[in-house]
Amino acid sequence: MTAVGPPGGYGGARPPSVANHLSGHAGGPVVQAGRIHGGIAYNYHLPPPAPDDVPDQVPAVRRFTNRTKDLSALDSWLARYAADAPGIGVLSGLPGVGKTAMACRWAGLARERFPDGQIYVDFASLRDRAGGDVSEAVGMCLRALGVSDQYLPGSLAERVGWYRTRSAGRRMLLVLDDVTEPAQVTALVPKGRGSAVLVTSHRDLSELALDQAEFLRLEPLDRDGGIHLLAELCGADAIAADRPAAERLVELCGGLPVALHLVAARLRTCRRLTLTGLAGELADATRRLGRMSVGRERSMSAVLGLAYHDLPEEAARLYRLLGWVPGRTFDAGTAAAAAGTDSDAAQDLLDTLEAASLLDATEDGRYRFHDLVRLHARETAAETGPGGEADPGREGRAVIARVTTHYLALTAFADRAVREDRLRIADLSELLRQGANPFAEAGRASALAWTAAERPNIMATLRAAAEQGADGEVWPLAEAFTVLFLHHRHLGDWKESLELGAAAAARAGEPAAEARLRSLLSRPLLDLGEDDRAHEELQTAVARADASGHPVLRASVREFLGRYWDRADPARAIAVHREALDLNTAAGERRGAAIAAYFLGAAQDAAGDHTTALATLRGARGELLELGDARMAARAAAAIGLAHGHLDEPSAARDELREAVQVLREQDAHHYEAQALVALADLVPRTGEGPATVREYLARAVEIHEEGGSPAAEALRERLNRLEKTPG
């Protein structure tokens, strides 16, 4: 490579202000004026680049699969700058997602488009230069363009000026790897038309939008993409021989290419290790990151550690604390609860973590960790202690406690926004006085929407709190959370949440709470076909309720018991519902008495006393409407429709059921909406409506039952399929 600088005879002195006096262009002679000691003037000529001064520094990628869409996006971006000013492309994403491999792969494919060479700068190797990384990076580029060390200008400004001159007239690609600051890019943009700069970074470089940069975020590989990469690394036959284990490995690696490379290296270097065996090792979350390593320096922890160690201390502390948050997603309020700070401060730190690509923002305004990033946050907390304390596990327990209290307050507010006068055992008045009610103005629909969106996180919080024995928070949270399931039947979660709550209440010595939760538990059990288990829970609930002496609770538990007997023995159900009605009336519980009357009327209808049932149900509906309980009044209307049907009054039955469906849908009482829809479908042959109407009713009912995981969905789906196949 030809050295560029003054000819010999000047004692190796570096001419000052080189960049400020360059003229001409890289394709011809350039005259340089300067001064040396004593003010002696001199002139010298910078020769044009030699024909072989074509840098080719971008590392080759040995194996690269997938990313076809992303490579195409880069090609599209390049086309816009083919004959224009140099363009800037930024590849972002979390550590280990394959940004460097992607950049290098594209550079290899685009080699012919840059006849004057490709330069590569790895900023990770320049990190420890105390702010001199940009100056050294420009120096590296000048060296690549033929400037020897002894003639490099001393200041950054001089180096940048000389670099622009040397790059003018060249069509070249510059790959800048692991950039952390926009200034690292802007100083290195070449001057030649048709040139390009391709940047990789896990940091927020949005300021480069002012320089017309294009941004492309890389996401982890999907299952098929991960399998394809494993097949390339380990051999297609090995992967095909145990496809389920390979898919499990992709899942455990979260689709991160770096993690897949690491596990593939372990499989290739350890003969005793199989796909199934390695998947079994990685299944233990506490050991997963440690097993994703090949030697001390090549590990998943080391990859994520690079981004973590760049964080400011407060952001690093929040990162460690968020690793203990039980749910998969969280908002600023939950993050604030985890850190014991306010939402504004938490939001600023979340922005920092997102800018570092350690957090992803979701479309609904929440944040989430990649699974491996969450494990790294916990691993880092366990090593250092979020506050430097000797027992980092104590801080983890404190995070779970704060988050549980946070969700308890919000869920209780939501519960009350949906139905203020519902029976509750937990007295949360003091807790709720300490915070603002977020649903005070938004109302019922917003409260239900929030609980539906937070369902996975509340479930995770219940499990974590129960595991660490926080019984005093678990059972009130389970009680409040059931408001969601009364409207949206997610049967598995409803059952589990009430099981956790009932067990916590029993351990805490709270008989009234235990009775309430066990009686509620009977509902998902009955819907899941576990009738015997439901009966056992109800027997325990009756005993605990009677022991508590709580009159309204005693009535409520018997209401649930009557609903069990509705299935097994209608006559016995009538007796139990009458008992519940009497207890509510004696306690002055008007709404409870109206609900008990509704169930009594339904039991009378099931027992064949349809006329009496109609009178009882009409009285119950009128009382519920006066109390403003549209949801329960609509359920009574549906029962009235069924009674009309049993009395061979199909038109009256249809009208009542249609009205009930409309109100139940408006009230988000979808489980009961589905019941009314099936009743309407059954009624169609008697009302003269066509098969299309039946299909409409059944399709909606199937949708509701399938969403909630109800066993009834399968039979309804089969019925709908048979109808679809029936001609006419």
Side-chain angles (χ1 to χ4, degrees), residues 182 240 278 342 470 474 498 500 502 597 602 634 664 724:
L278 182 53
D342 61 81
V474 170
L498 291 170
L500 292 170
L664 290 168
E724 295 285 356

Side-chain angles (χ1 to χ4, degrees), residues 331-563:
D331 57 15
T334 306
T341 185
D342 61 81
S343 293
D344 289 340
Q347 184 62 65
D348 290 341
L349 297 175
L350 289 170
D351 291 342
T352 300
L353 293 176
E354 183 188 3
S357 294
L358 291 170
L359 277 183
D360 287 328
T362 63
E363 292 182 357
D364 58 359
R366 292 176 174 81
Y367 296 87
R368 67 181 171 210
F369 275 130
H370 184 279
D371 287 347
L372 296 184
V373 178
R374 178 185 290 104
L375 291 178
H376 180 260
R378 289 190 180 183
E379 178 185 89
T380 308
E383 290 175 355
T384 63
E389 70 285 345
D391 180 15
R394 176 170 59 83
E395 185 65 24
R397 292 188 292 273
V399 168
I400 292 173
R402 290 193 294 268
V403 170
T404 302
T405 301
H406 168 74
Y407 273 120
L408 174 57
L410 290 177
T411 307
F413 277 129
D415 179 24
R416 285 153 178 77
V418 174
R419 189 77 214 178
E420 178 65 37
D421 57 357
R422 194 166 68 85
L423 172 63
R424 297 175 185 87
I425 303 303
D427 181 6
L428 301 177
S429 54
E430 181 60 32
L431 174 65
L432 300 186
R433 274 197 294 269
Q434 297 174 17
N437 183 355
F439 309 109
E441 296 182 3
R444 175 182 173 281
S446 176
L448 275 177
W450 178 84
T451 53
E454 290 288 349
R455 175 171 61 92
N457 297 326
I458 296 174
M459 286 301 305
T461 300
L462 274 168
R463 295 183 193 111
E467 185 175 342
Q468 69 178 33
D471 295 331
E473 289 74 37
V474 170
W475 74 257
L477 178 54
E479 181 187 36
F481 191 31
T482 207
V483 69
L484 170 66
F485 304 113
L486 293 173
H487 294 79
H488 301 276
R489 284 297 219 271
H490 301 285
L491 295 176
D493 283 354
W494 193 12
K495 173 186 172 183
E496 183 185 359
S497 68
L498 291 170
E499 287 173 335
L500 292 170
R507 288 192 299 267
E510 296 282 353
E514 184 183 355
R516 176 63 170 159
L517 292 165
R518 292 194 187 279
S519 63
L520 287 166
L521 176 57
S522 69
R523 296 308 303 145
L525 291 174
L526 288 172
D527 287 349
L528 290 167
E530 299 181 36
D531 291 22
D532 291 342
R533 167 91 189 278
H535 189 213
E536 292 174 5
E537 295 293 341
L538 286 165
Q539 287 178 314
T540 304
V542 169
R544 299 292 187 272
D546 288 347
S548 73
H550 193 305
V552 178
L553 176 63
R554 293 180 66 214
S556 175
V557 168
R558 281 162 174 79
E559 170 199 312
F560 285 101
L561 180 60
R563 295 166 80 176

Side-chain angles (χ1 to χ4, degrees), residues 174-187:
L174 188 64
V175 175
L176 304 180
D177 199 9
D178 204 7
V179 167
T180 58
E181 301 292 340
Q184 295 168 338
V185 178
T186 53

Side-chain angles (χ1 to χ4, degrees), residues 252-276:
L252 292 168
C253 291
L256 280 186
V258 158
L260 290 167
H261 274 272
L262 290 168
V263 300
R266 288 198 60 201
L267 288 167
R268 293 198 308 270
T269 57
C270 183
R271 294 184 178 181
R272 66 171 178 78
L273 197 57
T274 64
L275 287 166
T276 299

Side-chain angles (χ1 to χ4, degrees), residues 70-119:
D70 295 322
L71 289 169
S72 177
L74 283 179
D75 283 337
S76 175
W77 160 74
L78 174 67
R80 287 195 293 249
Y81 298 97
D84 204 344
I88 303 171
V90 180
L91 297 177
S92 64
L94 61 89
V97 80
K99 300 181 293 294
T100 300
M102 173 74 176
C104 294
R105 175 64 170 175
W106 186 81
L109 295 173
R111 186 182 302 276
E112 293 182 359
R113 303 182 186 185
F114 302 103
D116 296 309
Q118 299 185 353
I119 299 175

Side-chain angles (χ1 to χ4, degrees), residues 584-722:
N584 274 306
T585 302
E589 182 61 30
R590 186 180 173 192
R591 179 173 178 269
I595 292 173
Y598 153 64
F599 286 115
L600 174 59
Q604 290 167 337
D605 186 45
D609 192 356
H610 310 308
T611 303
T612 302
L614 271 178
T616 305
L617 289 167
R618 284 170 177 157
R621 178 173 63 175
E623 186 76 356
L624 289 165
L625 287 173
E626 282 190 22
L627 292 168
D629 194 339
R631 175 176 171 273
M632 286 303 303
R635 291 180 63 187
I640 291 171
L642 291 174
H644 278 299
H646 295 146
L647 289 169
D648 199 20
E649 299 169 355
S651 295
R654 179 191 58 199
D655 293 345
E656 292 285 358
L657 285 166
R658 282 180 174 174
E659 180 183 347
V661 165
Q662 180 178 347
V663 176
L664 290 168
R665 185 173 299 169
E666 292 170 356
Q667 293 291 314
D668 292 313
H670 299 303
H671 174 75
Y672 301 110
E673 175 195 347
Q675 290 181 344
L677 287 166
V678 173
L680 278 169
D682 294 340
L683 199 63
V684 162
R686 300 162 61 191
T687 59
E689 297 167 289
T693 304
V694 180
R695 283 194 289 269
E696 178 186 345
Y697 292 149
L698 291 180
R700 172 60 179 158
V702 167
E703 177 186 340
I704 292 170
H705 281 292
E706 286 182 340
E707 181 187 4
S710 170
E714 183 177 355
L716 286 173
R717 172 65 69 183
E718 290 178 0
R719 178 179 172 184
L720 182 60
N721 290 339
R722 287 196 302 270

